[in-house]
Amino acid sequence: MNIYYNEYEKGTNLLFKFDVFFDSLSFFMADIAVDVNNLRRTFGEFVAVDNINLQVKKGEIFGFLGPNGSGKSTTIRMLCGLLMPTSGGGTVGGFDVLKQPDAIKQRIGYMSQKFSLYNELTVEENLNFFAGIYGVPKQKRKERKEWALEMAELQDRRRSITATLAGGVKQRLALGCAILHEPPIIFLDEPTSGVDPISRRNFWSLIYGLSRQGTTIFITTHYMDEADYCDRLALIYRGKLIAEGTPGELKHSHMRHSILEIETDQLVPTLTLLNQQNIEAAIFGSALHATVDHAEQRIPELRELIAKRGISVTRIEQIVPSLEDVFVSLIEVA
Ligand code: ADP
Ligand code: MG
């Protein structure tokens, strides 16, 4: 758009200007990997997904966060062409969710919440099976299988029965199977749920690697600490989108209250004292987190109040809220 504006100012050929304008317009549209418009799904009377609108840019790691039962899987299944919306729709990779579900299925990777591996098959047999399902060309199969085995660090276990693999290893194999056909967009439904913290971290570095190569990642999680790994987030609660933005934006603009971190030599009596003052507080490690309005004014007041009880205050400071704090604050008004 800038180019168009500059050329306009210079008063150059009108056709050229239109060309640049339409080029940048189509470039903008081509920049969107997932476009969701008023997407809604009911089961009988129950509204599982309630008029959701969102856009995911190409190459972005988009985190879809919400507690259990909030509508994450239902949304993903509609976007992957596996479940019909009740109303609304959208596009995935430029294909229409309602009219072109089969085109979408060929161009995405989908890792369902249950990983959908065949436990009784070996690692290699699972890879063969999914290579067939996704129509990986015969001449490319060997190369893609080796790539997946290497990524999942399973080269030495290709003949192991899948059921015998640890959770974190199975998860990497499931990711490998889901992206054998090199899809440009990947949907991952709680891929890290029930997996140990080290495997979760390793898994995220695989995701980063894919994203750096230009793959778009749509990932759901109910672990708030994973939200910080995403470029952009949407928070869903009871089927409704309640916030959207980068992790930093959500933390700064959606907190109605400030969080103070308070350290004293007597934590529990301090907690009791704060609760007596109707201040919401909880123990976090060796400190307390208190939720207050007007932090600057409250800090000296609290310092004095606590000191008066003969408790020595080591530290009181305002901290950046966690996404969990943001979520709690948002659902209070939802
Ligand atoms: P999440 O993935 O966020 O945990 P889901 O999308 O799986 O949530 O489910 C959202 C809500 O829709 C839940 O209350 C769930 O019980 C309900 N639900 C999901 N699928 C069905 C179905 N096939 N029939 C009836 N209710 C369903
Ligand atoms: Mg789910």
Side-chain angles (χ1 to χ4, degrees), residues 131-144:
I133 291 247
Y134 290 127
V136 178
K138 284 242 157 49
Q139 64 276 19
K140 276 200 100 176
R141 280 197 192 176
K142 192 170 171 351
E143 179 203 322
R144 291 301 297 159

Side-chain angles (χ1 to χ4, degrees), residues 109-163:
Y110 167 60
M111 189 171 152
S112 81
Q113 218 167 334
K114 295 183 211 87
F115 297 176
S116 29
L117 290 171
Y118 289 90
N119 271 318
E120 65 280 14
L121 299 183
T122 65
V123 167
E124 196 159 21
E125 285 164 345
N126 262 302
L127 288 166
N128 288 336
F129 175 78
F130 284 98
I133 291 247
Y134 290 127
V136 178
K138 284 242 157 49
Q139 64 276 19
K140 276 200 100 176
R141 280 197 192 176
K142 192 170 171 351
E143 179 203 322
R144 291 301 297 159
K145 255 169 58 183
E146 290 308 316
W147 174 87
L149 287 168
E150 194 189 324
M151 179 205 72
E153 294 169 39
L154 278 168
Q155 290 110 316
D156 302 332
R157 303 203 57 185
R158 61 181 77 212
R159 280 178 256 291
S160 301
I161 298 293
T162 302

Side-chain angles (χ1 to χ4, degrees), residues 73 113 189-190:
S73 297
Q113 218 167 334
D189 196 358
E190 293 198 22

